Amino acid sequence: MLGICRGRRKFLAASLTLLCIPAITWLYLFAGSFEDGKPVSLSPLESQPHSPRYSAPGQRERESLEVRVREVEEENRALRRQLSLAQGRAPAHRRGNHSKTYSMEEGTGDSENLRAGIVAGNSSECGQQPVVEKCETIHVAIVCAGYNASRDVVTLVKSVLFHRRNPLHFHLIADSIAEQILATLFQTWMVPAVRVDFYNADELKSEVSWIPNKHYSGIYGLMKLVLTKTLPPNLERVIVLDTDITFATDIAELWAVFHKFKGVILLLLDKLRKMKWEQMWRLTAERELMGMLSTSLADQDIFNAVIKQNPFLVYQLPCFWNVQLSDHTRSEQCYRDVSDLKVIHWNSPKKLRVKNKHVEFFRNLYLTFLEYDGNLLRRELFGCPSEADVNSENLQKQLSELDEDDLCYEFRRERFTVHRTHLYFLHYEYEPAADNTDVTLVAQLSMDRLQMLEAICKHWEGPISLALYLSDAEAQQFLRYAQGSEVLMSRHNVAYHIVYKEGQFYPVNLLRNVAMKHVGTPYMFLSDIDFLPMYGLYEYLRKSVIQLDLANSKKAMIVPAFETLRYRLSFPKSKAELLSMLDMGTLFTFRYHVWTKGHAPTNFAKWRTATTPYRVEWEADFEPYVVVRRDCPEYDRRFVGFGWNKVAHIMELDAQEYEFTVLPNAYMIHMPHAPSFDITKFRSNKQYRVCLKTLKEEFQQDMSRRYGFAALKYLTAENNS
């Protein structure tokens, strides 16, 4: 956001905002108000021409507000003198960095409202920073809405966590989408000494929707105006951050600025409470909008107007707290004379594509945190007590009960590993069909299967829920891949959920559960990423849902699985064409050569001539691909990597008395690929196979305990197989 400029008056409010709630203290990186390059004298509240908007009661209200403003002006002048003394002790060669004034066209790195906070003890123009107590909690507020902003928040948070040495409390003003994404992310991130609270941004829309706004952030760009009303009344101080910034230092350094107000802050807060910030900005906004008609910089225009009329609200901070990288700033003039930069602000719609002589340096700093392994930020703040976390305590209890000398310890431990999860990594928009027959394709994948995504999207037009097992760096590679694909970008009904890598096993069933949990349709097609469904399968399954009355019965509809060994296949467009290819040896029933038992109960001989659905019985090692209701049981997490992950799930469905029904005109084809790392480990590592056998036996024992006498058949069938 650049400063407001109207007529010959140019106002630059490059600001790093520190808010004191509920009676907010604003610390702005402030260049001042100028006309022809000279300071403009502004009264706290300039008189405005009479208009229908300002009735007599409104006029009295504004006059009362002016009185309250003047009452605190003297105290604020004393405060500013005190702060300027601290600035005067700074080295002479740095003193001028933030006091220079530039026109809007020239620009500097200190021309916008960056709402932010700090840490670590580097020198600054303000003299030596007061020390923040070791375990003092730093409060940070962020407004976030939508899918893309949620990704930006993660990078910002990483940069804060990387440098921090204090407990953090994030206050996130979020819409329902961002709250779902970020609540899951923080819950699974499990960073010690970090608390997160959410505030419903949608409920605040009515507070600011009356303000015409042309900024690309939309109505959410105005939400910071109502922080005093939104955040808890007992919260006295908060650092407010935009999502497009990167910290290069400890956020405690910025938090320390609050300590400069000791001895004055209580008086100041008391006066500001009486000033009624809500009234102040509303009256100012109404007056300004009479001339502006609409805001172009969202809340920044309102902040600028309030500051213009009430300059005593502003405390100037050095520009290295807000090094802005946009085409209209000359940020180099800010950072050329300082040894360390605190905050990098990508305050341009172009973001990383901005024009700047040193943009590669700043881009690399940003990419460092973008691709940084977030698991490494789960470090303890030793000596600082953390709030009791029931989930964390339960996890530690479960892990402590495991025997670390057990040869299968790593397998058992994986079951309890909490993987950081970022839901809806890309924009998702889909409303299920009104007839309650909609079906979502569910699958999971890793980086080596990305090439299947476009093909699946061409074969399946319905909604898709995917869980991707990626590192932080791979997640960014995936993002670039998806954004460069016309096929993927044209589909808004594909949900991509990133489960971040941790541990030595591929958590296949956890991934399936994540994808299943976020299905929004009544039914799910439980598939694998290396299968292509037949053309038209989506509509065929929706008709079958009605035909077999899945809504009122526990059925699992089986889609027969085939495979080809050819990388380039002319995909069959009908059952008759598939049967012809089967007879010619171009296609085979799935795993016919290596694992016949997995799909033999489908009864492919019967399927060849079937014209109506037919029922089949469960048999040992059966693992078909099925369509079920969304409320079906989850996959068992003890099975990781290769082996028994689908078999156990089908066994569970059978134990819960699901009927297995084969669809006569449905099929899917497995496409060839190199062996996965996990199947290679299974084949080459004896201990891997021993542990898998042990886990199978324990699963069957659990089944017997849960389902009693009916589950004995699974033990018998296993012994006879």
Side-chain angles (χ1 to χ4, degrees):
M1 309 173 210
L2 296 175
I4 183 172
C5 175
R6 205 168 58 227
R8 297 181 64 188
R9 180 174 296 175
K10 295 169 182 169
F11 177 76
L12 301 179
S15 54
L16 180 55
T17 311
L18 299 179
L19 306 181
C20 291
I21 308 298
I24 303 183
T25 299
W26 311 85
L27 279 80
Y28 275 87
L29 191 65
F30 177 58
S33 302
F34 302 93
E35 184 171 338
D36 293 332
K38 298 181 180 179
V40 176
S41 176
L42 297 171
S43 64
L45 288 174
E46 293 180 335
S47 299
Q48 296 293 320
H50 293 288
S51 75
R53 287 189 184 217
Y54 297 99
S55 59
Q59 180 67 24
R60 286 195 298 271
E61 189 175 58
R62 287 189 292 111
E63 290 174 353
S64 175
L65 184 59
E66 290 176 12
V67 171
R68 288 196 297 271
V69 169
R70 293 190 185 100
E71 283 177 354
V72 299
E73 201 161 11
E74 277 305 314
E75 286 93 334
N76 278 282
R77 288 196 185 99
L79 172 62
R80 291 166 70 82
R81 284 195 294 272
Q82 178 185 344
L83 293 175
S84 65
L85 288 175
Q87 290 176 324
R89 291 192 294 270
H93 70 278
R94 289 189 179 183
R95 189 177 303 163
N97 285 343
H98 62 277
S99 61
K100 294 181 181 178
T101 302
Y102 298 91
S103 69
M104 181 101 86
E105 291 78 60
E106 290 174 334
T108 70
D110 53 32
S111 59
E112 185 201 341
N113 211 15
L114 165 75
R115 291 128 171 99
I118 336 175
V119 173
N122 295 322
S123 61
S124 77
E125 292 182 57
C126 302
Q128 185 176 359
Q129 293 285 359
V131 176
V132 176
E133 293 184 12
K134 178 179 178 180
C135 296
E136 182 178 349
T137 298
I138 296 173
H139 293 267
V140 179
I142 304 171
V143 177
C144 179
Y147 302 95
N148 294 340
S150 299
R151 288 200 309 271
D152 294 337
V153 165
V154 177
T155 308
L156 162 61
V157 169
K158 281 184 181 180
S159 71
V160 173
L161 291 176
F162 181 84
H163 298 286
R164 66 105 180 210
R165 294 186 180 91
N166 285 73
L168 296 171
H169 188 164
F170 289 101
H171 302 266
L172 301 181
I173 298 86
D175 66 351
S176 57
I177 294 170
E179 180 172 354
Q180 180 186 17
I181 295 170
L182 295 174
T184 301
L185 178 69
F186 279 104
Q187 182 182 1
T188 55
W189 203 340
M190 300 182 71
V191 182
V194 170
R195 176 179 170 181
V196 182
D197 285 326
F198 289 88
Y199 307 83
N200 192 335
D202 293 328
E203 293 180 357
L204 302 174
K205 286 182 177 179
S206 60
E207 301 285 337
V208 292
S209 60
W210 58 275
I211 302 175
N213 178 30
K214 296 180 180 179
H215 193 261
Y216 61 83
S217 61
I219 193 170
Y220 298 100
L222 299 164
M223 294 291 178
K224 298 184 188 75
L225 293 168
V226 294
L227 285 179
T228 53
K229 191 173 183 178
T230 306
L231 299 178
N234 62 340
L235 180 60
E236 294 183 349
R237 295 179 288 175
V238 67
I239 297 169
V240 188
L241 302 177
D242 284 348
T243 60
D244 57 352
I245 69 173
T246 306
F247 267 82
T249 191
D250 187 349
I251 195 171
E253 289 184 35
L254 186 56
W255 187 255
V257 174
F258 282 119
H259 290 278
K260 291 181 179 291
F261 296 95
K262 285 185 176 178
V264 184
I265 187 68
L266 295 178
L267 175 63
L268 182 59
L269 285 172
D270 180 60
K271 294 295 183 182
L272 286 174
R273 286 191 185 97
K274 293 177 182 178
M275 285 172 59
K276 296 184 179 179
W277 164 252
E278 286 285 323
Q279 272 185 321
M280 180 183 287
W281 76 257
R282 285 176 180 273
L283 289 171
T284 302
E286 284 195 5
R287 180 171 58 247
E288 291 295 317
L289 288 170
M290 292 178 67
M292 293 172 59
L293 300 182
S294 69
T295 65
S296 59
L297 301 176
D299 59 359
Q300 182 65 59
D301 283 334
I302 309 301
F303 284 127
N304 287 346
V306 173
I307 294 169
K308 182 174 64 176
Q309 298 162 30
N310 306 277
F312 63 89
L313 290 175
V314 178
Y315 167 58
Q316 184 173 323
L317 288 175
C319 65
F320 52 65
W321 282 113
N322 187 21
V323 179
Q324 299 185 63
L325 301 178
S326 72
D327 293 344
H328 303 291
T329 64
R330 297 168 75 177
S331 52
E332 184 183 357
Q333 295 196 359
C334 167
Y335 58 72
R336 67 184 177 186
D337 295 328
V338 297
S339 59
D340 57 346
L341 305 178
K342 308 294 187 181
V343 173
I344 311 304
H345 192 177
W346 302 90
N347 63 314
S348 164
K350 295 181 180 180
K351 301 305 178 187
L352 299 186
R353 300 188 305 275
V354 72
K355 296 176 182 178
N356 181 284
K357 187 165 66 174
H358 302 103
V359 71
E360 282 302 317
F361 169 79
F362 296 116
R363 185 183 292 124
N364 289 337
L365 176 65
Y366 173 80
L367 293 177
T368 296
F369 293 111
L370 187 72
E371 301 185 354
Y372 189 82
D373 185 351
N375 298 328
L376 300 178
L377 298 170
R378 288 170 169 163
R379 61 177 185 268
E380 293 282 350
L381 295 182
F382 295 107
C384 295
S386 296
E387 292 186 15
D389 186 325
V390 176
N391 293 331
S392 181
E393 291 176 354
N394 290 339
L395 175 62
Q396 293 304 318
K397 183 176 182 295
Q398 292 168 330
L399 291 175
S400 66
E401 293 172 353
L402 298 178
D403 180 6
E404 294 189 24
D405 294 326
D406 182 357
L407 294 176
C408 299
Y409 170 79
E410 292 298 333
F411 282 86
R412 301 186 193 284
R413 191 184 191 286
E414 176 57 38
R415 184 178 184 181
F416 302 111
T417 299
V418 178
H419 290 264
R420 189 165 38 105
T421 303
H422 188 136
L423 304 177
Y424 301 102
F425 198 66
L426 297 179
H427 181 80
Y428 180 78
E429 187 175 347
Y430 184 73
E431 285 294 330
D435 61 2
N436 291 321
T437 65
D438 220 340
V439 183
T440 297
L441 187 151
V442 172
Q444 39 71 37
L445 68 151
S446 54
M447 196 69 180
D448 59 345
R449 297 290 190 271
L450 279 186
Q451 72 278 3
M452 290 296 299
L453 293 180
E454 288 191 353
I456 288 177
C457 286
K458 292 176 181 177
H459 280 250
W460 177 272
E461 65 270 27
I464 302 174
S465 182
L466 299 173
L468 298 87
Y469 192 55
L470 305 173
S471 67
D472 292 75
E474 287 174 339
Q476 298 309 312
Q477 293 176 41
F478 159 69
L479 178 61
R480 292 190 290 271
Y481 171 83
Q483 291 176 336
S485 167
E486 292 184 9
V487 173
L488 301 187
M489 285 295 96
S490 67
R491 294 286 297 271
H492 299 299
N493 62 348
V494 181
Y496 301 96
H497 310 300
I498 307 296
V499 177
Y500 287 100
K501 286 184 175 180
E502 185 170 359
Q504 60 174 299
F505 297 107
Y506 183 75
V508 57
N509 280 355
L510 166 67
L511 297 172
R512 288 179 171 134
N513 290 341
V514 169
M516 286 170 54
K517 185 177 181 180
H518 300 285
V519 164
T521 58
Y523 306 99
M524 307 180 293
F525 173 31
L526 305 181
S527 184
D528 271 338
I529 197 65
D530 38 18
F531 277 88
L532 291 181
M534 73 176 198
Y535 292 110
L537 181 61
Y538 170 62
E539 291 297 336
Y540 177 73
L541 293 181
R542 292 181 60 184
K543 294 175 182 177
S544 299
V545 161
I546 299 174
Q547 180 185 2
L548 295 174
D549 193 24
L550 246 64
N552 301 303
S553 60
K554 295 178 74 172
K555 288 188 175 72
M557 302 190 306
I558 296 174
V559 177
F562 300 85
E563 69 176 339
T564 179
L565 303 180
R566 299 184 179 185
Y567 283 87
R568 306 188 74 173
L569 175 72
S570 177
F571 201 90
K573 295 180 175 58
S574 65
K575 179 177 179 177
E577 191 174 335
L578 180 139
L579 291 175
S580 175
M581 297 172 72
L582 199 62
D583 292 336
M584 291 188 297
T586 306
L587 294 178
F588 306 91
T589 57
F590 185 53
R591 289 291 183 260
Y592 171 78
H593 301 90
V594 294
W595 186 244
T596 307
K597 294 189 298 182
H599 293 264
T602 300
N603 195 343
F604 289 99
K606 183 173 184 177
W607 183 82
R608 293 180 69 100
T609 58
T611 56
T612 58
Y614 60 92
R615 182 176 176 179
V616 297
E617 298 297 327
W618 175 88
E619 295 181 22
D621 298 318
F622 193 26
E623 53 176 2
Y625 292 95
V626 297
V627 179
V628 291
R629 290 200 310 247
R630 186 173 55 188
D631 61 356
C632 85
E634 290 188 335
Y635 287 82
D636 195 293
R637 279 198 59 186
R638 83 186 76 198
F639 297 106
V640 295
F642 177 81
W644 250 63
N645 45 75
K646 291 195 301 294
V647 172
H649 188 245
I650 295 298
M651 186 182 293
E652 183 96 27
L653 294 181
D654 183 66
Q656 293 194 14
E657 300 181 340
Y658 276 72
E659 293 182 9
F660 296 105
T661 303
V662 181
L663 299 176
N665 294 306
Y667 57 87
M668 58 196 300
I669 299 177
H670 180 268
M671 305 304 292
H673 56 75
S676 67
F677 180 59
D678 292 282
I679 196 172
T680 302
K681 286 196 293 186
F682 172 81
R683 291 170 178 170
S684 62
N685 190 325
K686 181 180 179 181
Q687 187 59 45
Y688 192 111
R689 297 192 296 273
V690 169
C691 289
L692 179 58
K693 185 175 185 297
T694 301
L695 295 175
K696 287 167 52 178
E697 293 169 352
E698 292 173 355
F699 173 77
Q700 290 168 332
Q701 292 167 7
D702 288 345
M703 292 282 288
S704 297
R705 282 191 287 269
R706 280 183 290 170
Y707 300 106
F709 180 78
L712 291 177
K713 71 175 182 178
Y714 305 121
L715 290 171
T716 305
E718 180 65 21
N719 292 332
N720 293 334
S721 63

